[in-house]
Amino acid sequence: MGRYDTSIARYEEAKKVLAGGVSSNFRYHAMPAPLAIERGEGAYLWDADGNRYIDFVLGNGPAFLGHSPRPVLDAVRASLDRGQAFTTVHKAEIDLARRLCEIVPCAERVRFDVSGTQVGQVAIRLARAHTGRAKVVKFEGHYHGWADNIFASVAPGLNEAGPRDNPRVLAQSLGQPGNIRDDLIVQPYNDLAVLTDTVNARADEIAAIVLEPVACNCGVIPPEPGYLEGMRGLCDDHGIVLVFDEVITGFRVALGGAQARYGVTPDLAVFAKAAAAGFPLAVVAGRAGAMEGVTRGVAHGGTYNGVTSSIAACGASVEMLAANGGAIYGKVERDGQALMEGLREIARRRRLPLHAQGLGQIFSTTFAGDPPLLNYRDYKATDEPMRARFVQGLQDRGVRVTARGTWFMPAVLTDEDIAFVLDAADATAAAI
Ligand SMILES: Cc1ncc(COP(=O)(O)O)c(C=O)c1O
C-alpha cells in the first residue's frame, strides 16, 4: 500500500463526474493527488488512507479556530430547527451586525454575503458609485477573488509582467473579457513613491485603491512602516475610496483585522474565511457614507446572504475569538513566532536557503530569492521547485502546508504539535 493510494483512486473516480476532479481550480496542487480527507478535528485532518496531518491549510484560512470548534457547531445546530432562509431580516443578523460595528474600526455599517469574491465586487461597486469614477488600483500578486473585473496580475510570470514600476494588467483566466485593462491600474506593493506618482497623475479617474493590507497571497508580506498611512493620506487628499481586502487578515491577525493591528482605517473592508469557521459567510463593512450607497441605487443581492446557520457560525466564532480580551491572538502569535524561529534554526543548521516571514497568525516559507520579500516580484523570484519539494516532504511526514508556502496557523496547537512540526521540517530539510 502506498501512502496516498486511496487519494489517488478517489481523484480518478472524481474526474469522471466532477469537472477536473475538484470543485475549485485552486485545489489541483495537492500532490500526488488532492488528499481524500475524511475528517477534521482541531488542528488535525485524517485522510482516507489513515494518514494524520497537522493542518496549516485550514481550508485556505477559515478554520482558524481549528476544525469543528464545538461552540460554533452548537450555535449552528441550535439555529437549524428554526429555519434557514427567510429573505428578510432576523434578530441574530442585527445583533451580529452591531457586534461587528463594535469590533471592526471602519465598520459603521455592514452587509452580509457568502464569499470573499462577492464582497469584493460589492466594495468595488460601492466605491465607483460613491466617487463617480471608474478605475481601480490593485497590486501585483494580490488576490481579490476570481471575478472578471479584478482577477488580474495575481501570479504573472516575471517575463510577461512588464516594468516593475508600471506592471502590465494581465488577465488570469481564459474567458475573461479583453477590456479588464481599461478599468484597472496595477501597482507594485510597498512602494509609496510609485503609488504617489500614479495617483497624482490620474486621481480624477480613480475610484478605489484595493489591497490586501498584508500581502498574504504572495509570501505573506507585511506593509512597510508608513506605507498604509501614506496610502490613507493619498486617498484622503484625492477623494479615493480605500478598500482593505481582509478576507485572510480579518479576524486572524487581530480581532479587528489588519486595520486594527496597523492602526490605519480604510473606508471599506471585506471579510470572509476566519469570520465563520468554515461556514459560508462574508462581510462588507465600512463608513456609512459609502455603505449607504445600497439605499441610493447600488445593487447588492444574494439569496443566501445572512442565512441563519452562517450568522450563527459567525456570531459564535467572534465570541470565541474575543474571549478573555482576545487572548487567543497572543497565543497564536507566540506559537507562530516559535515555529518560524524553529524553522530558521533548521535552515541555519542544514545550510538551506529557507526563509520564514510573516506574522504569528500567518507566515510563509520560501527558498533562495533575496529576503526579506517586500513585493510580489521578490516572492516570484524565490525557488519554486525547492518550495514544492519542501511542501511535499512535510505532507509526507504529516504536516500540511499550502503549495504557495503559506502557513495558516490554527489557534489550537499544543507544544507537542510544534515539536512534531519542527521534527518533520528537520527531516524534510535533511532530505532535500
Ligand atoms: C485576500 C482574498 N480576497 C478574496 C478572496 C476570495 O474569497 P472566496 O474564495 O471566498 O471567494 C480570497 C480567497 O482566497 C483571498 O485570499
Side-chain angles (χ1 to χ4, degrees):
M1 272 290 277
R3 180 180 167 86
Y4 300 111
D5 283 356
T6 311
S7 287
I8 293 167
R10 287 262 171 95
Y11 187 41
E12 291 308 315
E13 185 190 340
K15 279 193 284 191
K16 293 181 187 144
V17 285
L18 196 57
V22 286
S23 288
S24 156
N25 278 39
F26 308 119
R27 297 176 194 178
Y28 285 131
H29 55 74
M31 299 160 290
L35 295 175
I37 298 296
E38 297 274 276
R39 190 165 74 84
E41 193 178 324
Y44 312 119
L45 292 176
W46 288 267
D47 71 16
D49 288 291
N51 304 306
R52 190 199 77 164
Y53 303 90
I54 299 184
D55 187 21
F56 295 91
V57 178
L58 300 179
N60 275 341
F64 181 43
L65 290 163
H67 295 281
S68 300
R70 284 294 132 196
V72 175
L73 298 192
D74 289 346
V76 171
R77 273 191 202 103
S79 80
L80 292 179
D81 289 334
R82 280 185 255 133
Q84 282 71 52
F86 309 138
T87 350
T88 173
V89 64
H90 56 99
K91 174 80 166 59
E93 198 179 357
I94 304 169
D95 291 343
L96 181 59
R98 187 181 303 111
R99 189 76 174 104
L100 296 184
C101 287
E102 288 164 10
I103 288 172
V104 174
C106 78
E108 294 172 353
R109 300 284 190 279
V110 305
R111 266 270 174 115
F112 296 111
D113 203 308
V114 293
S115 79
T117 298
Q118 290 178 192
V119 280
Q121 294 298 301
V122 185
I124 289 171
R125 191 176 273 182
L126 285 169
R128 287 193 171 130
H130 191 65
T131 56
R133 305 173 188 161
K135 290 209 194 298
V136 171
V137 173
K138 83 170 289 285
F139 295 85
E140 207 169 42
H142 293 209
Y143 176 61
H144 308 294
W146 54 274
D148 280 343
N149 62 355
I150 195 74
F151 189 34
S153 301
V154 175
L158 292 179
N159 56 343
E160 58 178 352
R164 184 199 164 281
D165 290 354
N166 184 21
R168 292 177 62 202
V169 180
L170 290 167
Q172 296 281 253
S173 172
L174 291 178
Q176 277 181 275
N179 62 0
I180 62 165
R181 262 170 234 108
D182 297 347
D183 286 334
L184 282 177
I185 299 171
V186 174
Q187 293 280 277
Y189 177 66
N190 259 337
D191 192 327
L192 189 59
V194 169
L195 183 67
T196 303
D197 286 348
T198 301
V199 168
N200 283 337
R202 311 180 66 175
D204 56 358
E205 302 171 274
I206 299 172
I209 296 180
V210 181
L211 75 156
E212 297 181 54
V214 179
C216 291
N217 279 297
C218 57
V220 190
I221 306 172
E224 286 285 273
Y227 184 60
L228 297 178
E229 291 84 349
M231 195 182 286
R232 177 69 272 179
L234 279 175
C235 288
D236 288 340
D237 291 347
H238 296 282
I240 295 167
V241 176
L242 180 59
V243 182
F244 280 5
D245 181 339
E246 300 234 40
V247 167
I248 289 180
T249 52
F251 304 96
R252 170 173 285 278
V253 305
L255 182 61
Q259 55 193 281
R261 184 167 179 139
Y262 292 101
V264 174
T265 305
D267 301 298
L268 295 173
V270 295
F271 300 84
K273 299 201 190 253
F279 288 84
L281 178 128
V283 184
V284 52
R287 301 290 189 209
M291 289 293 298
E292 289 291 336
V294 295
T295 66
R296 294 190 296 264
V298 177
H300 167 229
T303 301
Y304 301 107
N305 298 353
V307 292
T308 54
S309 52
S310 291
I311 295 289
C314 181
S317 299
V318 165
E319 293 323 318
M320 284 182 79
L321 295 168
N324 305 319
I328 207 169
Y329 293 97
K331 176 201 157 29
V332 187
E333 186 73 46
R334 284 189 297 281
D335 288 352
Q337 295 295 346
L339 268 179
M340 277 193 278
E341 217 21 77
L343 291 165
R344 289 177 191 130
E345 186 278 323
I346 291 167
R348 283 191 296 272
R349 188 159 38 75
R350 299 277 179 196
R351 297 179 190 286
L352 205 64
L354 180 159
H355 171 65
Q357 81 167 50
L359 310 178
Q361 296 83 13
I362 180 167
F363 62 89
S364 77
T365 44
T366 52
F367 291 84
D370 189 16
L373 313 177
L374 291 180
N375 57 41
Y376 169 74
R377 298 207 182 185
D378 291 348
Y379 170 72
K380 191 65 185 166
T382 62
D383 186 334
E384 291 182 28
M386 191 179 261
R387 184 173 79 226
R389 289 210 298 283
F390 187 62
V391 169
Q392 180 72 55
L394 288 172
Q395 181 184 287
D396 295 344
R397 293 171 177 82
V399 177
R400 187 169 180 245
V401 173
T402 76
R404 289 195 309 272
T406 309
W407 300 56
F408 286 95
M409 284 287 293
V412 290
L413 285 185
T414 63
D415 290 344
E416 292 74 49
D417 293 331
I418 292 175
F420 180 94
V421 172
L422 290 175
D423 280 348
D426 194 35
T428 303
I432 65 171

